[in-house]
Amino acid sequence: MGAWASRGRAARVPAPEPEPEEALDLSQLPPELLLVVLSHVPPRTLLGRCRQVCRGWRALVDGQALWLLILARDHGATGRALLHLARSCQSPARNARPCPLGRFCARRPIGRNLIRNPCGQGLRKWMVQHGGDGWVVEENRTTVPGAPSQTCFVTSFSWCRKKQVLDLEEEGLWPELLDSGRIEICVSDWWGARHDSGCMYRLLVQLLDANQTVLDKFSAVPDPIPQWNNNACLHVTHVFSNIKMGVRFVSFEHWGQDTQFWAGHYGARVTNSSVIVQVRLS
């Protein structure tokens, strides 16, 4: 009976194995179509990975057309201005070096604070000179609007100083753009005091050429904040709008100390320092 049932059942036919899909070889695409595809890849991936695929891809990543296509996607006022600048401030071909627009798109220096560690994540990235009992980091006593962190660097009873020197080319800007007369450099710093101690503060920002020669500068030496000040917090700003040709570095340096000359950390409190490069829209 079991044998009869087995003979009456339809035999199973194994399903055919699916044929493996053929991998798409993007290198077979026409260059103009491959450019469009690559323009949707993140800039850091283009520079770090796609450039290593083959000579053809390397030529596309090192060229200008790909990066202009990426920039053209930003239809805002700043994006349109950037595209115009990128087209008009082209870097001459030098020893087959990659187009500087690649670094520019990867670093995105326009509108970004170029100061590292502006609010006091330790003292990293700063060149420091400790006066009195030196620099420390504390919580803000007054909220600073727009700060990435509500912490600050606090000074002592003798002048404490710290400094950063920003390499604008390393940040992604290229010489022809820096010398175009179409950008401005906005600097900003917040400083204040604790209620029971007065303090003093200084700021010096310098625009330097490739040899570290000073081309322009801004300095601020405001009146000291007196004792019993309700945790005063002040904002210093300046815009370098007529930038001379040759600027390659920005030196940002500030000092602080207290006016009571107390041991410990009762001096000027500095935070949310910024150096921002903007495109002039007019």
Side-chain angles (χ1 to χ4, degrees):
M1 186 72 174
W4 181 87
S6 176
R7 285 194 299 271
R9 195 181 301 129
R12 287 186 177 181
V13 178
E17 291 287 332
E19 294 186 7
E21 295 184 4
E22 186 176 348
L24 176 62
D25 185 358
L26 294 179
S27 297
Q28 300 301 315
L29 294 175
E32 58 274 15
L33 186 54
L34 179 56
L35 266 181
V36 175
V37 173
L38 291 179
S39 72
H40 291 276
V41 177
R44 291 182 183 273
T45 303
L46 288 172
L47 294 171
R49 290 186 162 184
C50 298
R51 191 172 180 270
Q52 311 301 322
V53 170
C54 62
R55 290 182 180 179
W57 283 38
R58 177 173 179 171
L60 292 177
V61 173
D62 286 354
Q64 207 169 59
L66 173 61
W67 303 107
L68 290 176
L69 192 58
I70 291 172
L71 289 173
R73 290 216 175 86
D74 185 348
H75 300 294
T78 300
R80 293 195 302 270
L82 273 176
L83 181 60
H84 174 74
L85 278 176
R87 286 172 171 163
S88 60
C89 301
Q90 296 184 9
S91 178
R94 295 187 295 263
N95 301 323
R97 291 175 60 183
C99 172
L101 287 177
R103 180 190 290 265
F104 177 82
C105 291
R107 297 290 178 88
R108 301 179 66 86
I110 299 297
R112 171 173 64 84
N113 186 7
L114 303 182
I115 290 284
R116 307 285 196 235
N117 184 22
C119 295
Q121 305 301 312
L123 291 170
R124 61 186 181 84
K125 303 299 183 180
W126 291 95
M127 296 178 281
V128 299
Q129 178 181 323
H130 295 285
D133 289 326
W135 291 93
V136 294
V137 174
E138 296 181 359
E139 296 289 325
N140 287 345
R141 290 173 177 259
T142 301
T143 300
V144 174
S149 174
Q150 293 300 323
T151 52
C152 61
F153 301 92
V154 186
T155 60
S156 190
F157 59 85
S158 184
W159 285 110
C160 297
R161 166 179 163 270
K162 63 186 179 72
K163 175 180 180 180
Q164 281 191 39
V165 178
L166 308 173
D167 184 336
L168 297 178
E169 290 188 71
E170 184 65 26
E171 293 294 342
L173 302 159
W174 68 98
E176 290 74 20
L177 176 61
L178 290 168
D179 295 340
S180 68
R182 295 292 307 278
I183 64 169
E184 57 189 19
I185 299 176
C186 311
V187 299
S188 168
D189 205 19
W190 289 83
W191 73 286
R194 51 182 290 161
H195 178 61
D196 57 358
S197 177
C199 68
M200 297 183 287
Y201 162 90
R202 300 175 185 170
L203 171 68
L204 175 63
V205 183
Q206 298 174 314
L207 305 186
L208 312 174
D209 67 10
N211 298 315
Q212 306 281 310
T213 301
V214 178
L215 300 180
D216 202 354
K217 67 179 181 179
F218 166 75
S219 62
V221 186
D223 292 336
I225 295 176
Q227 191 180 25
W228 315 122
N229 53 66
N230 198 29
N231 295 320
C233 187
L234 304 175
H235 191 199
V236 180
T237 62
H238 179 72
V239 177
F240 293 96
S241 56
N242 296 308
I243 297 175
K244 297 178 181 179
M245 292 187 64
V247 171
R248 299 295 180 266
F249 297 89
V250 178
S251 171
F252 186 101
E253 185 173 10
H254 52 197
W255 298 256
Q257 73 168 80
D258 73 41
T259 56
Q260 313 309 124
F261 304 102
W262 290 341
H265 302 92
Y266 295 86
R269 310 164 69 83
V270 296
T271 190
N272 204 22
S273 309
S274 68
V275 173
I276 297 175
V277 177
Q278 302 279 18
V279 175
R280 296 175 61 182
L281 298 179
S282 58

